[in-house]
Amino acid sequence: MDRNRIDELSINYVEKLSLYEEYSSRIRNLVEDLVERDDIEVCGIEGWAKAPAEVVKSLNAHYAADDPDGLGSISDLVTVRVLLRFPEDVQKVEDIICSEFNVDFNRSITSGGLEDPFRFGYPAVLYTLALSENRSSLREWQKYKELPFRLELRTVLQEAWATISPRVNMSVDSISEKKFKRKLVRLAALLEEADEGFLSLWEEVKDVSVLVPPTSEPEIARNVSVAAERTYTEDELYAFFNESDSTLNKWSSTAIKAGFPIFVPSPNYLRESFQYLFKIFRASGVDTISEVRKFLTDLEEEDRGTMQLKTIRSTFEKESGTWRVDAFSAIFLLVLNAKWDILKGKDLVDLGVKKGSDRINGMDNGL
């Protein structure tokens, strides 16, 4: 070990510390942009340059005399850590970074490398990366061309493991060490199962979810009593909506005004949209023509219908750009939003409401 050489490299790092700190900030922002561009939710992201004292420790442990740079033997002078929801998200980010950066696989731990059944704990995915030739040739990135960085990809539960497990890694006798290590292995397995279980639950929730904002606006209070009136049939409700062409034109225009894409349905498609509207009205307890009329009139006051549709569109901003919202579908969404407190306690699949919701966002694969 050359003590003088290590001191020289440590001083060199301190002199360039501002460059490494700047690099960590820029890489952090770049990684965040690349990940969010693919609609992957980031739970947390941070980047930092290694503290000078830690660099000295690393040089003492890893310094190679034949390394012309010396600092090149340390892969984590700059680190970016990305916190994600599920293991599936980690694998998606892996695909992105492998296409955007140069990867040093000899100093990386990919998700595929974590499949060893005899590994200890629940470690994160680690990559040693460098800028690609295309990016490093850009003027704003040229000064970072030779600088590697480490990227850590963790799920929320992997972060919990990384935060807590070192605290129980104390110096104990060999018998106790085996006992504690066994417990840690069991806890790590539970966390891994939980990660996979949450992903499975999330997939199930998506399969039965409907298009309603997480915080629906309260239903407009009834301020007039509705006289006893018999429940309408599907044909009677259809006749009500077709009394005037302006009714459907109005709600079609309202959907466009709220920001949904312009959609011109065929007559058959529009009739099917009405059938789902009929189902959701009945499921939500809007059983008479008078109640339907009052529901629509209240939405027209102060342009409440437009405001509620805007709320729905902004809640599903990433998906709603491809929705098919005709006049009946717009009212369907408004009923779903306003009557959610009633609907959420019912079997929406059996009542046909879930299928109507899927149809709007294109999950039925038909036009």
Side-chain angles (χ1 to χ4, degrees), residues 46 48 93 130 136 150 189 195 216 246 279 297 300 308 327 350:
E46 55 184 337
W48 65 89
V93 175
S136 62
R150 184 171 73 176
D195 249 340
S216 304
S246 63
K279 291 176 181 179
T297 300
E300 292 171 12
Q308 290 187 27
D350 187 57

Side-chain angles (χ1 to χ4, degrees), residues 71-75 104-109 126-128 148 150:
L71 293 175
S73 60
I74 307 175
S75 62
D104 183 348
F105 286 102
N106 291 327
R107 295 196 289 175
S108 300
I109 303 174
L126 300 175
Y127 275 87
T128 297
R150 184 171 73 176

